[in-house]
Amino acid sequence: MFQYWYAHQTNSVRWAGAMSDPYRLECGVRQGGLTSPTLFNLYMDELIVALSRQHLGCHIDDVCVNNLSYADDMVLLSASICGMRSLIQTCEEYAGRHGLKYNVAKSQCMIFEAVGTICPQNIPPVLLSGVPLKMVGQVKYLGHVITTDLRDDADIERERRALSVRANMVARRFARCSAQVKMTLFRAFCTSLYTCSLWANYTKKKYSDLRVLYNNAFRILLGLPRYCSASGMFADAGIDCFHTTMRKRCASLVRRVRSSPNTVLKMIATRFDCCYLRHCCDRHLTVSVPERKL
């Protein structure tokens, strides 16, 4: 049934009310189809298995982590240039067998700085389809900005700008709405701080800038005084403040990591010296109770 379905599928393009002639769709799964994720996973499973079986890459507690995949976005990890070249060769061989071609212009290479060491200057080129990959200082993967020094300042700045755009849009378009509607919109558009649960290494200034913007966005949306109490206004509205939002996001991620059957995530969950887990437990998940004076 699936073979017949995909062998006889056609496509048309609608533009300005006009429909093009139908044409054959020779490759790819159906956009938005319920079976598409499963079919794509079956298609890519051979490549992921081939990469994992090489045991080349980064090893942590006898677990080899050399590829991370989400849909058609793949990251290769290796502790050496030779290992990276071998992983890329495996990808190229798989693409050749299946009539695929990698987009070199959208592929990048980044070298992480080891703690306490100087990053080497003369890096041998890494080739993809015979073309050297561009060396970059930061890359955005699934919307999260990753830098060579593994600091989160750049990603916090990305989210600060995105929050500013969302907050201004809500305040401008819904200025005449009731306070209840505005609070509902704030929960929907301003409390979803994308990938905030991954932040573990950042400066106080960047973190504080995002917190101030979060508070000011709520003040402007509700028409509150500029210097009113942040904790008081969120408590009156029944909306999570910035610190509560961060704690909930981190607690949710830690819970899901610890309950995941994934081999890599299970390994991370058992490493209590992991800087991220330690950060979440120390900064977000612990509550200090002040002593009462008798």
Side-chain angles (χ1 to χ4, degrees):
M1 180 183 68
F2 281 112
Q3 184 177 5
Y4 180 86
W5 188 9
Y6 275 92
H8 295 80
Q9 61 182 346
T10 59
N11 195 32
S12 298
V13 178
R14 176 179 294 173
W15 179 262
M19 185 73 70
S20 70
D21 295 333
Y23 59 91
R24 289 282 304 275
L25 200 59
E26 302 292 344
C27 62
V29 293
R30 289 173 174 261
Q31 184 74 20
L34 295 179
T35 59
S36 296
T38 301
L39 294 175
F40 184 82
N41 288 340
L42 292 173
Y43 185 79
M44 295 299 296
D45 186 64
E46 179 185 345
L47 174 59
I48 296 175
V49 171
L51 291 171
S52 301
R53 284 178 176 175
Q54 291 189 41
H55 298 289
L56 293 173
C58 302
H59 290 76
I60 306 175
D61 290 349
D62 296 329
V63 176
C64 179
V65 184
N66 60 13
N67 70 94
L68 302 174
S69 300
Y70 184 86
D72 59 344
D73 292 321
M74 175 174 284
V75 170
L76 301 178
L77 300 171
S78 176
S80 66
I81 295 293
C82 294
M84 181 60 67
R85 288 173 174 172
S86 179
L87 295 175
I88 291 180
Q89 182 180 358
T90 300
C91 294
E92 290 178 332
E93 293 174 353
Y94 175 86
R97 292 195 303 270
H98 293 80
L100 303 175
K101 185 178 180 180
Y102 284 99
N103 191 333
V104 181
K106 292 185 177 180
S107 303
Q108 298 172 329
C109 185
M110 187 170 66
I111 299 178
F112 294 100
E113 301 174 3
V115 179
T117 62
I118 300 176
C119 185
Q121 299 299 321
N122 298 322
I123 307 297
V126 178
L127 306 181
L128 177 62
S129 301
V131 180
L133 293 179
K134 180 181 178 181
M135 294 289 180
V136 296
Q138 70 177 37
V139 66
K140 182 181 288 188
Y141 181 63
L142 302 180
H144 181 82
V145 178
I146 305 173
T147 59
T148 57
D149 57 1
L150 293 178
R151 299 188 65 87
D152 298 309
D153 289 353
D155 193 66
I156 294 178
E157 177 62 19
R158 172 203 56 77
E159 182 57 27
R160 189 191 68 82
R161 295 185 180 187
L163 175 60
S164 178
V165 173
R166 297 195 303 269
N168 288 330
M169 181 271 296
V170 173
R172 183 177 65 255
R173 295 185 180 181
F174 303 95
R176 298 178 180 273
C177 294
S178 64
Q180 190 62 40
V181 171
K182 291 180 179 179
M183 289 187 289
T184 302
L185 292 172
F186 184 85
R187 289 192 185 95
F189 289 94
C190 299
T191 61
S192 56
L193 304 176
Y194 184 68
T195 71
C196 67
S197 53
L198 297 176
W199 300 336
N201 185 13
Y202 47 81
T203 59
K204 291 183 179 180
K205 183 181 184 306
K206 287 295 183 181
Y207 193 79
S208 179
D209 290 345
L210 181 61
R211 176 184 58 82
V212 171
L213 176 61
Y214 184 93
N215 296 340
N216 288 339
F218 188 77
R219 291 189 181 101
I220 294 174
L221 185 62
L222 272 296
L224 300 175
R226 181 178 180 181
Y227 295 104
C228 65
S229 171
S231 58
M233 67 181 183
F234 285 119
D236 293 339
I239 295 178
D240 292 337
C241 67
F242 178 78
H243 296 295
T244 302
T245 300
M246 292 294 297
R247 284 195 295 268
K248 286 186 175 181
R249 297 289 189 275
C250 291
S252 175
L253 180 61
V254 171
R255 176 184 57 81
R256 285 180 283 130
V257 168
R258 289 178 172 173
S259 61
S260 173
N262 182 272
T263 304
V264 177
L265 294 182
K266 288 176 64 177
M267 176 270 296
I268 295 175
T270 57
R271 289 294 299 262
F272 293 101
D273 60 340
C274 175
C275 62
Y276 173 75
L277 292 179
R278 184 171 64 251
H279 168 79
C280 289
C281 294
D282 292 345
R283 183 176 181 86
H284 298 300
L285 305 185
T286 57
V287 179
S288 59
V289 181
E291 296 181 359
R292 292 184 177 182
K293 294 183 178 180
L294 297 178

